[in-house]
Amino acid sequence: MVVFTEIHGMTELNDGKPRRVKNCRPYSFLLEEDTTSFGIYEKGGIVTQVKQPKVLNFKSLREALKNPGDFLLSDFSKFDRPPLLHLAFQALDEFKVQFGRLPAFGSEEDAIHLIRLAKQINEGAGDLKLESIDEDILRRLSEGAKAVLNPMAAMFGGIIGQEVVKACSGKFHPLFQFFYFDSLESLPDEVAQEHGETVSDNRYYAQASVFGHQLQEKLQDAKVFVVGAGALGCEILKNLALMGVACGGKGKLIVTDDDVIEKSNLSRQFLFRDWNIGESKSTVAASAALAINPYLRIEAFQNRVSPETENVFDDAFWESIDVVINALDNVNARLYVDSRCVYFQKPLLESGTLGTKCNTQMVIPHFTENYGASRDPPEKQAPMCTLHSFPHNINHCLTWARSEFEGLMEKTPTEVNSYLSKPEEYKASMVLAGDAQARELLEKVVECLVAERCRTFSDCLFWARKKFEEYFTNKIKQLTFTFPEDSVTSTGALFWSPPKRFPKPLEFSTEDPSHLSFIAAAAYLKAQTYGIVVPDWAKDFNRLAEAVNEIKLPSFTPKQGVKIVTDEKATSLSISASDDSMVINSLIKVLDENASSIAPGFRMISIPFEKDDDTNYHMDLIAGLANMRARNYAIPEVDKLRAKLIAGRIIPAIATTTALATGLVCLELYKIFLGHKVEKYRNTFANLALPLFSMAEPVSPKVFRHQELSWSVWDRWAIHGNITLQELLDWFESKGLTAYSISCGQSLLYNNIFPKHRDRLDRKVLDLAKDIAKLEIPPSRRHFDVVVACEDDNGDDIDVPLVSIYF
């Protein structure tokens, strides 16, 4: 079902009515409608798919129990499990009716009763009767029926929370009708003999009863590193505190996050409150987790985990950790933590969310591939020429607006301050560059310090009014002068063919509130960059309008020969000119001539974008820039909230998905401390909107082989001794490999194509690394790493592991 807009000619289709189309191909579709009485199609038109409401008829619980229909599956290796669990939970309800309680922990008698009830219900199930009943699964259900496990509660809380939202909002597809989930693979093989060791008044009694006392001790003495204390991090810390992880005498829970709490975090990062805004995430989260469990041995760091902090998170730190749990929101940080876990052979529990979608990935040394083994394709970015000259949706306008904000309010003041701090060095660097980019930077410096320098708020108001004219009137006039509406491309096609939209210049009016709002926000922020106090009269829009009406600007006439970038592959809008160097020199001369007019010590104030402060005018300016531009191109405008979501690059995140993901992660944590085999681990992808749950065994790592040797990404080859370069080459030769290139960091220590490198053969590899690669080894470290490129006897390249030389 689609709706049509902006069709020229056959305008009857522009009525907003959803219409059915079929036979959809990349450039065509068939409209299921008689259009013979419509006008003749001329050109243009936008077609947008629209979702139609769906009516679902649910059975009553009584009816659905007897005839459940299709079950929602989560794990295709258990495709026959849901009917059995449907029967088992009915038997559990019947058990509670008969005995007034749930089966007791470890009671064989209660398990036999439950199995008997299940068989009785199955006998009366008619066509839905199961041919066989796996008594072991029923016995497991009986043994754990009284236990409420935190990971299961978190996971089901997330699912049910989303179902409540669906019921209230009518948005997304509800669960229809039964979903059964089990994680029996998380259980130990045998726990019965340990039941006597549990104590009923222990807060971990239920967990210890299901998993055994030994596992509970392992959890309490665990050393866990949680990277990130945002939405995922808060949920994980809560889960770990409730599970008793790192709550024993030998336990340690380290959490790190270099971010501070913002207002927008409060909707899903539930360990924080409004009075925590501006405080360190990791510190506040650690305190909140400690309130949940006072025995939690937790320590908070405020460091980003990166190459720059390897003095904090050093070898000794990584070697002391049992397991790492990622709670990050960007790929680069995940890749770095993954590389550390591979290097130090540590299990990594990885998860991520995006709106109603989430995924979890288990990274287990030697058994699974690492996180970095597979990558998502990069997100498609709109071409620069589209953003700057040919936008065709509001996202383009908002991306451009955010870029302009950063250029005007953050980057340009920073550039000016670079010049003011060290003027001679700055000018020399511009002369040395001598290109279009250097020319444009200097033009901005001259504009701020000379041509359009603001000394009073009235100057800022004049600048804002001039910017409106430049952005939304003059540039549009120049664009349509260079490319008139009827202009054609070299192939004869109309230049302004969809998706391009032919723009129209705006005529400024203080009667238009959106025009005046833009001028006000721009002037207020421009004043801030110069440290100018905004006068009280300027906050009164009536008086502001009077002042703006007094401003007179010269009329604009488009020029011939102006170059406008139309190449979608262009990465810069700077157009080089033969006289760039000459212009740079003349701009420097202007700065020199006006240097005496700049007060000693004067600096501009750079304004970084902050989306969460509704009083700072940042979003007012960005929304104004975007909506005025949208008006130029007849693109539907947006309100400030929608503008904040897009321009603020806010990743959709909701508490329900976070709870689901972290619950699943903590189910896998049990398996790590139980030492389970890889076939018992599960990676998950879920989408609560559909709903969809897809669980599968992790992928094994890629194995490389050469003769009798085999290795994967998890392997490192260790060589002990302070060896020479020749001895290193001989070591590889003994394995049937020819090492032709050896590097350390970014430096090449040896390559057999360079004759002079043979002079290095008798030198220690350690000395070469210190002299050539400038390697600095911390006092606590007793090894360093080199990357070796090898080939076999046939001359084929062989990827070998990283080589660690323990000197």
Short mmCIF file of all heavy atoms in Angstrom, two decimals, residues 315 343 716-729 731-732 742-744 749 763-769 775 777 781-788 801-807:
data_model
loop_
_atom_site.label_atom_id
_atom_site.label_comp_id
_atom_site.label_asym_id
_atom_site.label_seq_id
_atom_site.Cartn_x
_atom_site.Cartn_y
_atom_site.Cartn_z
N ASP A 315 49.05 -5.04 31.20
CA ASP A 315 49.09 -6.50 31.09
C ASP A 315 48.61 -7.17 32.38
O ASP A 315 47.82 -8.12 32.34
CB ASP A 315 50.52 -6.97 30.79
CG ASP A 315 50.97 -6.58 29.40
OD1 ASP A 315 50.27 -5.75 28.77
OD2 ASP A 315 52.01 -7.07 28.94
N TYR A 343 44.03 -11.16 22.64
CA TYR A 343 45.45 -11.16 23.02
C TYR A 343 45.67 -11.85 24.36
O TYR A 343 46.60 -12.64 24.51
CB TYR A 343 45.96 -9.72 23.08
CG TYR A 343 47.46 -9.59 23.23
CD1 TYR A 343 48.28 -9.55 22.12
CD2 TYR A 343 48.04 -9.53 24.50
CE1 TYR A 343 49.65 -9.43 22.25
CE2 TYR A 343 49.41 -9.42 24.64
CZ TYR A 343 50.22 -9.37 23.52
OH TYR A 343 51.57 -9.28 23.65
N ARG A 716 48.88 -17.26 19.78
CA ARG A 716 50.06 -16.42 19.69
C ARG A 716 51.26 -17.35 19.79
O ARG A 716 51.28 -18.26 20.60
CB ARG A 716 50.09 -15.43 20.87
CG ARG A 716 49.92 -14.00 20.46
CD ARG A 716 50.27 -13.04 21.57
NE ARG A 716 49.65 -13.29 22.84
CZ ARG A 716 50.20 -12.98 24.01
NH1 ARG A 716 51.40 -12.43 24.06
NH2 ARG A 716 49.57 -13.21 25.14
N TRP A 717 52.25 -17.12 18.94
CA TRP A 717 53.46 -17.94 19.02
C TRP A 717 54.44 -17.25 19.95
O TRP A 717 54.83 -16.09 19.71
CB TRP A 717 54.06 -18.15 17.63
CG TRP A 717 53.28 -19.16 16.83
CD1 TRP A 717 52.31 -19.98 17.29
CD2 TRP A 717 53.42 -19.44 15.44
NE1 TRP A 717 51.83 -20.78 16.27
CE2 TRP A 717 52.49 -20.47 15.12
CE3 TRP A 717 54.23 -18.94 14.43
CZ2 TRP A 717 52.36 -20.98 13.83
CZ3 TRP A 717 54.10 -19.47 13.15
CH2 TRP A 717 53.18 -20.48 12.85
N ALA A 718 54.87 -17.95 20.99
CA ALA A 718 55.78 -17.39 21.98
C ALA A 718 57.18 -17.95 21.76
O ALA A 718 57.37 -19.16 21.58
CB ALA A 718 55.30 -17.72 23.39
N ILE A 719 58.16 -17.06 21.76
CA ILE A 719 59.57 -17.46 21.65
C ILE A 719 60.28 -16.91 22.88
O ILE A 719 60.22 -15.71 23.15
CB ILE A 719 60.21 -16.89 20.37
CG1 ILE A 719 59.45 -17.38 19.13
CG2 ILE A 719 61.68 -17.30 20.28
CD1 ILE A 719 59.94 -16.77 17.83
N HIS A 720 60.94 -17.78 23.62
CA HIS A 720 61.59 -17.37 24.86
C HIS A 720 63.09 -17.17 24.62
O HIS A 720 63.75 -17.99 23.98
CB HIS A 720 61.36 -18.41 25.95
CG HIS A 720 59.92 -18.48 26.38
ND1 HIS A 720 59.40 -17.73 27.39
CD2 HIS A 720 58.88 -19.22 25.89
CE1 HIS A 720 58.11 -17.99 27.52
NE2 HIS A 720 57.77 -18.90 26.62
N GLY A 721 63.59 -16.06 25.13
CA GLY A 721 65.01 -15.75 24.97
C GLY A 721 65.20 -14.44 24.24
O GLY A 721 64.39 -14.06 23.39
N ASN A 722 66.29 -13.77 24.54
CA ASN A 722 66.62 -12.49 23.90
C ASN A 722 67.34 -12.79 22.59
O ASN A 722 68.55 -12.69 22.47
CB ASN A 722 67.49 -11.65 24.84
CG ASN A 722 67.59 -10.21 24.36
OD1 ASN A 722 66.90 -9.80 23.43
ND2 ASN A 722 68.47 -9.45 25.00
N ILE A 723 66.55 -13.18 21.57
CA ILE A 723 67.11 -13.76 20.34
C ILE A 723 67.54 -12.70 19.34
O ILE A 723 67.08 -11.56 19.37
CB ILE A 723 66.10 -14.72 19.68
CG1 ILE A 723 64.81 -13.96 19.30
CG2 ILE A 723 65.78 -15.90 20.59
CD1 ILE A 723 63.86 -14.77 18.46
N THR A 724 68.41 -13.12 18.41
CA THR A 724 68.81 -12.24 17.30
C THR A 724 67.81 -12.37 16.16
O THR A 724 66.98 -13.29 16.13
CB THR A 724 70.20 -12.61 16.78
OG1 THR A 724 70.14 -13.93 16.21
CG2 THR A 724 71.24 -12.57 17.91
N LEU A 725 67.91 -11.46 15.22
CA LEU A 725 67.04 -11.50 14.04
C LEU A 725 67.26 -12.79 13.26
O LEU A 725 66.31 -13.42 12.79
CB LEU A 725 67.33 -10.28 13.15
CG LEU A 725 66.48 -10.12 11.90
CD1 LEU A 725 64.99 -10.06 12.23
CD2 LEU A 725 66.89 -8.85 11.14
N GLN A 726 68.52 -13.22 13.13
CA GLN A 726 68.82 -14.46 12.43
C GLN A 726 68.18 -15.66 13.13
O GLN A 726 67.63 -16.56 12.48
CB GLN A 726 70.34 -14.67 12.32
CG GLN A 726 70.75 -15.91 11.53
CD GLN A 726 70.30 -15.85 10.08
OE1 GLN A 726 70.69 -14.94 9.35
NE2 GLN A 726 69.48 -16.79 9.64
N GLU A 727 68.22 -15.66 14.46
CA GLU A 727 67.61 -16.76 15.21
C GLU A 727 66.09 -16.79 15.02
O GLU A 727 65.49 -17.87 14.98
CB GLU A 727 67.96 -16.63 16.70
CG GLU A 727 69.42 -16.97 17.01
CD GLU A 727 69.80 -16.62 18.43
OE1 GLU A 727 69.25 -15.65 18.99
OE2 GLU A 727 70.68 -17.32 19.00
N LEU A 728 65.50 -15.62 14.88
CA LEU A 728 64.06 -15.57 14.62
C LEU A 728 63.73 -16.14 13.25
O LEU A 728 62.78 -16.92 13.09
CB LEU A 728 63.56 -14.12 14.72
CG LEU A 728 62.07 -13.88 14.42
CD1 LEU A 728 61.19 -14.72 15.35
CD2 LEU A 728 61.71 -12.41 14.56
N LEU A 729 64.55 -15.80 12.25
CA LEU A 729 64.35 -16.36 10.90
C LEU A 729 64.54 -17.87 10.91
O LEU A 729 63.79 -18.61 10.26
CB LEU A 729 65.32 -15.71 9.91
CG LEU A 729 65.19 -14.19 9.68
CD1 LEU A 729 66.27 -13.69 8.74
CD2 LEU A 729 63.82 -13.85 9.13
N TRP A 731 64.04 -19.86 13.43
CA TRP A 731 62.90 -20.45 14.15
C TRP A 731 61.76 -20.73 13.17
O TRP A 731 61.11 -21.79 13.23
CB TRP A 731 62.47 -19.51 15.26
CG TRP A 731 61.45 -20.08 16.23
CD1 TRP A 731 61.70 -20.80 17.35
CD2 TRP A 731 60.02 -19.96 16.14
NE1 TRP A 731 60.52 -21.14 17.97
CE2 TRP A 731 59.47 -20.64 17.24
CE3 TRP A 731 59.16 -19.35 15.23
CZ2 TRP A 731 58.11 -20.72 17.48
CZ3 TRP A 731 57.80 -19.43 15.47
CH2 TRP A 731 57.27 -20.10 16.57
N PHE A 732 61.49 -19.77 12.28
CA PHE A 732 60.44 -19.98 11.28
C PHE A 732 60.86 -21.01 10.24
O PHE A 732 60.03 -21.81 9.78
CB PHE A 732 60.10 -18.65 10.60
CG PHE A 732 59.09 -17.84 11.35
CD1 PHE A 732 59.47 -16.91 12.30
CD2 PHE A 732 57.74 -18.04 11.13
CE1 PHE A 732 58.54 -16.18 13.02
CE2 PHE A 732 56.79 -17.32 11.83
CZ PHE A 732 57.18 -16.39 12.79
N ILE A 742 59.48 -8.55 8.74
CA ILE A 742 59.21 -8.50 10.18
C ILE A 742 59.02 -7.04 10.57
O ILE A 742 59.86 -6.19 10.24
CB ILE A 742 60.36 -9.12 10.99
CG1 ILE A 742 60.55 -10.60 10.61
CG2 ILE A 742 60.10 -9.00 12.50
CD1 ILE A 742 61.83 -11.22 11.12
N SER A 743 57.91 -6.76 11.25
CA SER A 743 57.64 -5.38 11.65
C SER A 743 57.25 -5.33 13.12
O SER A 743 56.77 -6.31 13.69
CB SER A 743 56.55 -4.76 10.78
OG SER A 743 55.35 -5.51 10.87
N CYS A 744 57.45 -4.14 13.71
CA CYS A 744 57.07 -3.89 15.10
C CYS A 744 56.35 -2.55 15.11
O CYS A 744 56.94 -1.53 14.73
CB CYS A 744 58.30 -3.86 15.99
SG CYS A 744 57.93 -3.56 17.73
N LEU A 749 61.28 -3.82 10.63
CA LEU A 749 62.58 -4.23 11.19
C LEU A 749 63.42 -4.97 10.16
O LEU A 749 64.65 -4.88 10.18
CB LEU A 749 62.37 -5.13 12.42
CG LEU A 749 61.53 -4.57 13.58
CD1 LEU A 749 61.55 -5.55 14.74
CD2 LEU A 749 62.01 -3.20 14.01
N ARG A 763 71.92 -8.71 15.08
CA ARG A 763 71.48 -7.87 16.19
C ARG A 763 70.27 -8.49 16.90
O ARG A 763 69.49 -9.24 16.31
CB ARG A 763 71.10 -6.47 15.68
CG ARG A 763 72.28 -5.69 15.14
CD ARG A 763 71.88 -4.26 14.84
NE ARG A 763 71.45 -3.56 16.05
CZ ARG A 763 70.89 -2.35 16.04
NH1 ARG A 763 70.68 -1.73 14.89
NH2 ARG A 763 70.52 -1.78 17.18
N LYS A 764 70.14 -8.17 18.17
CA LYS A 764 68.99 -8.65 18.94
C LYS A 764 67.72 -7.99 18.38
O LYS A 764 67.71 -6.78 18.08
CB LYS A 764 69.12 -8.29 20.42
CG LYS A 764 70.38 -8.85 21.09
CD LYS A 764 70.32 -10.36 21.28
CE LYS A 764 71.51 -10.84 22.11
NZ LYS A 764 71.53 -12.33 22.20
N VAL A 765 66.66 -8.76 18.29
CA VAL A 765 65.38 -8.21 17.80
C VAL A 765 64.90 -7.11 18.75
O VAL A 765 64.35 -6.10 18.31
CB VAL A 765 64.31 -9.32 17.67
CG1 VAL A 765 63.02 -8.75 17.08
CG2 VAL A 765 64.82 -10.45 16.79
N LEU A 766 65.12 -7.29 20.05
CA LEU A 766 64.72 -6.28 21.03
C LEU A 766 65.41 -4.94 20.76
O LEU A 766 64.79 -3.88 20.79
CB LEU A 766 65.05 -6.78 22.43
CG LEU A 766 64.79 -5.79 23.58
CD1 LEU A 766 63.31 -5.42 23.65
CD2 LEU A 766 65.25 -6.39 24.92
N ASP A 767 66.71 -5.00 20.46
CA ASP A 767 67.46 -3.76 20.20
C ASP A 767 66.97 -3.10 18.93
O ASP A 767 66.86 -1.86 18.87
CB ASP A 767 68.96 -4.07 20.10
CG ASP A 767 69.53 -4.57 21.42
OD1 ASP A 767 68.91 -4.27 22.46
OD2 ASP A 767 70.56 -5.27 21.39
N LEU A 768 66.67 -3.90 17.91
CA LEU A 768 66.14 -3.33 16.66
C LEU A 768 64.79 -2.64 16.92
O LEU A 768 64.54 -1.56 16.39
CB LEU A 768 65.95 -4.43 15.61
CG LEU A 768 67.23 -5.02 15.01
CD1 LEU A 768 66.89 -6.23 14.14
CD2 LEU A 768 67.98 -3.97 14.19
N ALA A 769 63.94 -3.28 17.74
CA ALA A 769 62.62 -2.70 18.03
C ALA A 769 62.77 -1.38 18.78
O ALA A 769 62.03 -0.42 18.51
CB ALA A 769 61.80 -3.68 18.86
N LEU A 775 60.44 1.50 20.35
CA LEU A 775 59.59 0.75 21.27
C LEU A 775 59.95 1.08 22.71
O LEU A 775 61.12 1.04 23.10
CB LEU A 775 59.75 -0.76 21.02
CG LEU A 775 58.93 -1.71 21.89
CD1 LEU A 775 57.44 -1.57 21.58
CD2 LEU A 775 59.38 -3.15 21.68
N ILE A 777 59.10 -0.23 26.45
CA ILE A 777 58.49 -1.37 27.14
C ILE A 777 58.35 -1.03 28.62
O ILE A 777 59.35 -0.68 29.27
CB ILE A 777 59.35 -2.64 26.96
CG1 ILE A 777 59.51 -2.96 25.46
CG2 ILE A 777 58.74 -3.82 27.70
CD1 ILE A 777 60.43 -4.12 25.17
N ARG A 781 56.60 -5.34 31.95
CA ARG A 781 56.40 -6.25 30.82
C ARG A 781 57.70 -6.95 30.46
O ARG A 781 58.76 -6.33 30.43
CB ARG A 781 55.87 -5.47 29.60
CG ARG A 781 55.48 -6.36 28.43
CD ARG A 781 54.84 -5.59 27.31
NE ARG A 781 53.54 -5.05 27.70
CZ ARG A 781 52.84 -4.21 26.94
NH1 ARG A 781 53.31 -3.79 25.79
NH2 ARG A 781 51.66 -3.77 27.37
N ARG A 782 57.61 -8.23 30.16
CA ARG A 782 58.80 -9.04 29.85
C ARG A 782 58.79 -9.56 28.41
O ARG A 782 59.53 -10.45 28.08
CB ARG A 782 58.88 -10.23 30.83
CG ARG A 782 59.17 -9.81 32.27
CD ARG A 782 60.62 -9.34 32.42
NE ARG A 782 60.90 -8.83 33.77
CZ ARG A 782 60.82 -7.56 34.11
NH1 ARG A 782 60.46 -6.66 33.20
NH2 ARG A 782 61.11 -7.15 35.32
N HIS A 783 57.91 -9.01 27.59
CA HIS A 783 57.87 -9.45 26.20
C HIS A 783 57.45 -8.30 25.31
O HIS A 783 56.98 -7.27 25.78
CB HIS A 783 56.90 -10.62 26.04
CG HIS A 783 55.46 -10.21 26.06
ND1 HIS A 783 54.76 -10.02 27.24
CD2 HIS A 783 54.59 -9.94 25.06
CE1 HIS A 783 53.53 -9.66 26.96
NE2 HIS A 783 53.38 -9.59 25.64
N PHE A 784 57.64 -8.47 24.01
CA PHE A 784 57.12 -7.54 23.02
C PHE A 784 56.68 -8.36 21.81
O PHE A 784 57.01 -9.54 21.67
CB PHE A 784 58.17 -6.49 22.63
CG PHE A 784 59.37 -7.04 21.90
CD1 PHE A 784 59.49 -6.93 20.52
CD2 PHE A 784 60.40 -7.66 22.61
CE1 PHE A 784 60.59 -7.44 19.86
CE2 PHE A 784 61.51 -8.17 21.94
CZ PHE A 784 61.60 -8.05 20.56
N ASP A 785 55.91 -7.73 20.94
CA ASP A 785 55.29 -8.45 19.82
C ASP A 785 55.83 -7.96 18.48
O ASP A 785 56.09 -6.77 18.30
CB ASP A 785 53.77 -8.26 19.84
CG ASP A 785 53.16 -8.72 21.15
OD1 ASP A 785 53.55 -9.80 21.63
OD2 ASP A 785 52.31 -7.99 21.70
N VAL A 786 55.97 -8.90 17.58
CA VAL A 786 56.32 -8.56 16.20
C VAL A 786 55.35 -9.25 15.25
O VAL A 786 54.81 -10.32 15.57
CB VAL A 786 57.77 -8.95 15.84
CG1 VAL A 786 58.77 -8.11 16.61
CG2 VAL A 786 58.01 -10.44 16.08
N VAL A 787 55.11 -8.61 14.12
CA VAL A 787 54.26 -9.19 13.08
C VAL A 787 55.18 -9.73 11.99
O VAL A 787 56.04 -9.00 11.47
CB VAL A 787 53.30 -8.14 12.50
CG1 VAL A 787 52.50 -8.72 11.35
CG2 VAL A 787 52.37 -7.62 13.59
N VAL A 788 55.00 -10.99 11.66
CA VAL A 788 55.88 -11.65 10.70
C VAL A 788 55.08 -12.07 9.46
O VAL A 788 54.01 -12.68 9.59
CB VAL A 788 56.57 -12.89 11.33
CG1 VAL A 788 57.52 -13.55 10.33
CG2 VAL A 788 57.32 -12.49 12.60
N PRO A 801 50.27 -16.44 13.28
CA PRO A 801 49.85 -15.67 14.46
C PRO A 801 50.86 -14.57 14.81
O PRO A 801 51.99 -14.55 14.31
CB PRO A 801 49.79 -16.73 15.57
CG PRO A 801 49.73 -18.04 14.87
CD PRO A 801 50.46 -17.86 13.59
N LEU A 802 50.43 -13.69 15.69
CA LEU A 802 51.32 -12.69 16.26
C LEU A 802 52.44 -13.43 17.00
O LEU A 802 52.21 -14.46 17.62
CB LEU A 802 50.54 -11.83 17.24
CG LEU A 802 51.18 -10.54 17.76
CD1 LEU A 802 51.32 -9.53 16.64
CD2 LEU A 802 50.31 -9.95 18.87
N VAL A 803 53.65 -12.90 16.95
CA VAL A 803 54.80 -13.54 17.61
C VAL A 803 55.20 -12.70 18.82
O VAL A 803 55.47 -11.50 18.71
CB VAL A 803 55.98 -13.69 16.64
CG1 VAL A 803 57.20 -14.26 17.37
CG2 VAL A 803 55.59 -14.58 15.47
N SER A 804 55.20 -13.33 19.99
CA SER A 804 55.63 -12.66 21.22
C SER A 804 57.01 -13.16 21.61
O SER A 804 57.21 -14.38 21.76
CB SER A 804 54.64 -12.94 22.35
OG SER A 804 53.39 -12.35 22.07
N ILE A 805 57.95 -12.24 21.75
CA ILE A 805 59.32 -12.60 22.13
C ILE A 805 59.51 -12.26 23.60
O ILE A 805 59.46 -11.09 24.01
CB ILE A 805 60.35 -11.86 21.25
CG1 ILE A 805 60.16 -12.27 19.79
CG2 ILE A 805 61.77 -12.16 21.72
CD1 ILE A 805 61.05 -11.53 18.82
N TYR A 806 59.67 -13.30 24.42
CA TYR A 806 59.86 -13.12 25.86
C TYR A 806 61.37 -13.02 26.11
O TYR A 806 62.07 -14.02 26.18
CB TYR A 806 59.24 -14.29 26.63
CG TYR A 806 57.74 -14.24 26.63
CD1 TYR A 806 57.00 -14.67 25.53
CD2 TYR A 806 57.04 -13.75 27.73
CE1 TYR A 806 55.62 -14.60 25.51
CE2 TYR A 806 55.65 -13.68 27.73
CZ TYR A 806 54.95 -14.10 26.62
OH TYR A 806 53.58 -14.02 26.61
N PHE A 807 61.85 -11.76 26.22
CA PHE A 807 63.28 -11.51 26.29
C PHE A 807 63.86 -11.73 27.68
O PHE A 807 65.05 -11.63 27.88
CB PHE A 807 63.59 -10.09 25.80
CG PHE A 807 62.85 -9.01 26.53
CD1 PHE A 807 63.36 -8.47 27.69
CD2 PHE A 807 61.62 -8.54 26.06
CE1 PHE A 807 62.67 -7.47 28.37
CE2 PHE A 807 60.93 -7.54 26.74
CZ PHE A 807 61.46 -6.99 27.89
#
